Structures are given as structure tokens and as C-alpha cells.
Amino acid sequence: MRHTISVLVENKFGVLARIATLFAARGFNIDSLAVGETENADVSRMTIIVRGDDKILEQVEKQLNKLVDVIKVSDFLEAPHIERDLALIKVKVDKSTRSELLQIADIFRANIVDVSVESVIIEVTGDEDKLSALIKLLAPFGIKEMVRTGVVAIARGK
Amino acid sequence: MRHTISVLVENKFGVLARIATLFAARGFNIDSLAVGETENADVSRMTIIVRGDDKILEQVEKQLNKLVDVIKVSDFLEAPHIERDLALIKVKVDKSTRSELLQIADIFRANIVDVSVESVIIEVTGDEDKLSALIKLLAPFGIKEMVRTGVVAIARGK
């Protein structure tokens, strides 16, 4: 099953390596991982998307909780939450395809952040499904390059 | 100096752990790290922001290039590129502060993605400076929770 795990950690070096090693040792491939600052400069939040056996994952979460620099581990499996991913997509373009491309970007509320003679860069945010849908539409134009942040998640307000 | 490094890797388990360990072994703390899918399902792209000694970082980049699952390492230091970070920020709110909060979100072209009696969740994308500026403005309202993806970068079109 797909799990969205949020890990609050002390912002010290080596923490990321220890956590990544823990997942790798259990044979989990991390689908996406994002590490960013939080409201507290000494603390970072990792959002990890993994797919795999629920029982083994439960053990990994327990092991995570035992690491000195880990403050809190949350699994969003059953909690109402919001997920967002950001993609920057460089798409081939010429005079004949530019306006169609702009229309598609507009429908997805995506922003054009760079334009050159041969390409445009589209910035889009959304959940994985939205991004997949846009990428599928852009593929026929020719995707030259793409970079994604990976998913971050936050619990909805009560 | 602050470096934005983009590492194209085979999407296999253990790669992330090896790369994170390489940086930790050299005493580099990773400011932000994002791992996401690319235009090719077998390949992931990591974007890593680090600060530190340029000479040692050069060595780390050479070592990265030697890892079997690493396809390409790019340092955006002198190349024209675009950086983006995404934040989800849960801010305390009540009747008297809601409209001011919405105005601020509007100025930053941020989206309100969740509203409850006591809080709103704001989604914003931009470079680090833009996000810092917004966070500074939101702090007086009370930031209950924040999660950031970390920075991703893409080279501008030629």
C-alpha cells in the first residue's frame, strides 16, 4: 500500500543518511522524498512516499522513532490531509504549437516561467494525479527535461 | 558558498542512502533535498542544496560521478537556471484576521487550500527569498505547522 510518512527531525548532518539507510536495509524503495525547513530553523521535515508491505513498514516506523534525531513520525494513511508536488517541465515548442501549449497550461493553472525559441518551462503544483494528467498531455509536444520536488503533506485543520 | 546540485540517478533502492552518506561523511549538511520522478520512469532527479567549502564539494561531486547508479551530476553555480520551492503553511486565523491573511496570500499569488474555524492552509511556490518574505509576514498570525519540498532547479532554455 502507498504510505505518506512525515518525519520531523533535528537539522543535523547525517540524519538523512541514517533514515535513507533504514529504508534501504528493509528493501523499501522510496518513491519520493522531500526535505525542507519548518517553522523552526533547528528542525526539518521529511515527507517520504513508499509502497510496500504494511507490517514491515510499521517496523521501520518504530525504528525511525528510536533514532536520536527523530522527533516525530506520522503516517497520513487514514488522516485527512493535503498532498502537493511541484514540477518544472521543459517542453519543446515552435510557432505552430505555442498557443495550444499555453492553453493547456492555463487549464491546469500552471505558470510559464521561461520562454526561449525552442522551449518553454512550465511550473505546476498539485497532487500526483493532476501532475500525471498534465504530463500525459504535454508528452506529445516533447518533454526535454523535467524535475519534481516529490510530495509534501500536511494535516487538514480541525 | 551555496550550491544547487542536480543529480540524475537510476531509480533503484539504496541510491539515496549512498548519496546522503557521501555528503555526511564529508561533513556537509544538506540544506534541502528533493527527489522526484523525471520524464523517464527509470530515472529520478535529486536536487541538493548545500553550503560549504568549494574544493571539498568538487571532490564530493567527483565521487558522486563514480557511483554506479549516478547518471549525471550538474552544479548550477554559473548556469542560468530557475529554482522553485513549495511550502504548505498552516496559519492560525480568527474572524478578525481572516481578511488580512487572504490579502497577503493574494499579493504572493499563494492559494488557500484548506479552511477551518481556527486555521487556514496556504500553498505557495517561489524561490527561497519569496518564501522567506511570505513566512516573515505570516509569523505574527501564528504559524501552526509548515512543510516545504526543498528547492528544485532546471536550466533555462537556450
Side-chain angles (χ1 to χ4, degrees):
Chain A
M1 195 176 272
R2 177 183 182 280
H3 287 255
T4 307
I5 301 166
S6 177
V7 188
L8 218 57
V9 296
E10 301 278 349
N11 196 2
K12 291 183 186 162
F13 82 74
V15 183
L16 173 64
R18 279 197 290 279
I19 291 179
T21 304
L22 207 65
F23 279 95
R26 292 308 193 104
F28 275 100
N29 196 14
I30 293 177
D31 269 19
S32 97
L33 178 130
V35 189
E37 296 167 36
T38 64
E39 62 281 12
N40 177 345
D42 299 327
V43 170
S44 297
R45 188 187 292 276
M46 296 185 171
T47 311
I48 303 169
I49 308 280
V50 284
R51 270 168 241 267
D53 186 279
D54 286 8
K55 282 250 169 86
I56 299 176
L57 190 61
E58 206 176 292
Q59 292 171 4
V60 174
E61 289 175 15
K62 275 182 193 158
Q63 288 179 314
L64 280 176
N65 266 314
K66 282 182 195 157
L67 292 180
V68 178
D69 297 323
V70 168
I71 300 163
K72 197 184 165 194
V73 180
S74 329
D75 191 324
F76 282 113
L77 194 57
E78 276 159 25
H81 66 284
I82 289 167
E83 295 194 359
R84 285 289 183 279
D85 194 347
L86 180 152
L88 294 170
I89 311 167
K90 194 184 284 173
V91 187
K92 260 189 224 165
V93 79
D94 58 36
K95 275 184 202 166
S96 67
T97 57
R98 188 170 283 130
S99 71
E100 192 188 346
L101 203 61
L102 296 186
Q103 268 175 18
I104 292 174
D106 202 41
I107 292 165
F108 280 81
R109 297 186 191 178
N111 298 316
I112 307 291
V113 292
D114 185 67
V115 181
S116 72
V117 182
E118 291 171 2
S119 64
V120 296
I121 298 177
I122 296 175
E123 175 202 334
V124 63
T125 64
D127 58 18
E128 285 186 320
D129 289 346
K130 178 181 166 187
L131 266 57
S132 300
L134 175 59
I135 290 161
K136 220 176 260 176
L137 277 175
L138 294 178
F141 294 92
I143 294 178
K144 291 166 77 99
E145 214 179 329
M146 178 171 81
V147 53
R148 287 171 69 164
T149 56
V151 173
V152 287
I154 195 167
R156 283 188 183 273
K158 277 155 205 164
Chain B
M1 195 175 270
R2 178 183 181 280
H3 287 256
T4 306
I5 301 166
S6 176
V7 188
L8 217 56
V9 297
E10 301 279 348
N11 195 3
K12 289 183 188 162
F13 82 74
V15 183
L16 173 65
R18 279 197 290 279
I19 291 179
T21 304
L22 208 64
F23 279 95
R26 290 310 192 104
F28 275 101
N29 196 14
I30 293 176
D31 269 20
S32 97
L33 178 131
V35 189
E37 298 168 34
T38 64
E39 62 280 14
N40 176 345
D42 298 329
V43 171
S44 296
R45 187 187 293 276
M46 296 185 172
T47 311
I48 304 170
I49 310 281
V50 284
R51 270 169 241 266
D53 187 277
D54 286 9
K55 281 250 169 85
I56 299 176
L57 190 62
E58 206 176 292
Q59 291 171 5
V60 173
E61 288 175 15
K62 274 182 192 157
Q63 286 179 317
L64 280 176
N65 264 315
K66 282 181 194 158
L67 292 180
V68 177
D69 297 323
V70 168
I71 300 162
K72 198 185 165 193
V73 180
S74 328
D75 191 325
F76 282 114
L77 194 58
E78 277 160 23
H81 67 284
I82 290 166
E83 295 194 359
R84 284 290 182 279
D85 193 348
L86 180 151
L88 294 170
I89 312 168
K90 194 184 284 172
V91 187
K92 260 191 224 161
V93 80
D94 57 35
K95 275 183 201 166
S96 67
T97 57
R98 188 170 282 131
S99 71
E100 192 188 346
L101 203 62
L102 296 186
Q103 267 175 19
I104 293 173
D106 202 42
I107 292 165
F108 280 80
R109 297 189 191 175
N111 299 316
I112 308 291
V113 292
D114 185 65
V115 181
S116 72
V117 182
E118 292 171 358
S119 64
V120 297
I121 299 177
I122 296 176
E123 176 203 331
V124 63
T125 63
D127 58 20
E128 284 186 320
D129 288 347
K130 178 180 166 188
L131 266 58
S132 300
L134 175 59
I135 291 161
K136 222 176 259 176
L137 277 174
L138 294 177
F141 294 92
I143 294 178
K144 291 165 75 97
E145 215 181 327
M146 179 173 81
V147 52
R148 286 171 70 165
T149 56
V151 174
V152 288
I154 194 167
R156 284 187 182 273
K158 278 154 203 162

